[in-house]
Amino acid sequence: MNPNIAQPRPLAGGNYRWTVLFCLWLLYLINYFDRMAVLTLLPVIRADLGLTHQEIGFAASIFFFAYALAQLSAGWWTDRVGPKKVMGFAITFFTLVTFITGLVQNFWQFLVCRLGLALGEGNHFVPANRAMSEWFPQSEKGRCAAFFSTIYSVAPAIIPFIVAMVATSLGSWRPVFYVL
């Protein structure tokens, strides 16, 4: 047995696994806030930074390419150090990048932030799935996946409203990223 490779935990008894699932759900909601804040505020950001539609399109594309690549590395990294450490790093990294997004002044800075956000967020999904597979027995994996999947509908339904409300109350798009 290689000591550098994280070993699967025995399935936990009791209801603690549901608390773990709810925490993973909340963490993914936070992940979505960072991603959707940019999309919600994109027209204002584009105008403020003087970006072209082509530059915005490129920044959107680079995000998804980097996100996909990060998921590949997240699998390798999760197998070696465990999901908790990878998620801790990912959350810390994408939170820092989100804050820095509020400071950008031009296209290149915006592009670097989009790339950084993708690399951080891309390292969050894989370990979250690994954690769920470690905490839930086979007989409950469907319910676990069903609950976790609700985030894909709940987040896009509530986040644009909240982000727009915060931006309006703070008078600019930039403070939204500091708050997040």
Side-chain angles (χ1 to χ4, degrees), residues 1-49:
M1 203 180 324
N2 186 343
N4 295 327
I5 298 176
Q7 301 302 313
R9 82 175 73 250
L11 291 172
N15 290 325
Y16 186 72
R17 66 189 175 282
W18 295 101
T19 302
V20 170
L21 176 60
F22 185 67
C23 289
L24 289 169
W25 189 91
L26 286 176
L27 290 170
Y28 218 73
L29 179 66
I30 293 167
N31 183 312
Y32 256 91
F33 258 101
D34 297 338
R35 185 180 321 173
M36 293 197 68
V38 169
L39 298 176
T40 302
L41 300 171
L42 202 52
V44 180
I45 294 169
R46 188 180 84 70
D48 187 39
L49 298 179

Side-chain angles (χ1 to χ4, degrees), residues 21 25 140-151:
L21 176 60
W25 189 91
E140 295 178 346
K141 288 194 190 298
R143 281 176 280 176
C144 172
F147 176 77
F148 189 73
S149 295
T150 63
I151 196 63

Side-chain angles (χ1 to χ4, degrees), residues 169-180:
S169 68
L170 297 176
S172 173
W173 64 271
R174 293 178 186 277
V176 170
F177 294 93
Y178 307 146
V179 170
L180 292 176

Side-chain angles (χ1 to χ4, degrees), residues 40-64:
T40 302
L41 300 171
L42 202 52
V44 180
I45 294 169
R46 188 180 84 70
D48 187 39
L49 298 179
L51 303 177
T52 66
H53 290 288
Q54 193 172 22
E55 289 170 328
I56 289 298
F58 184 70
S61 295
I62 201 82
F63 174 88
F64 287 106

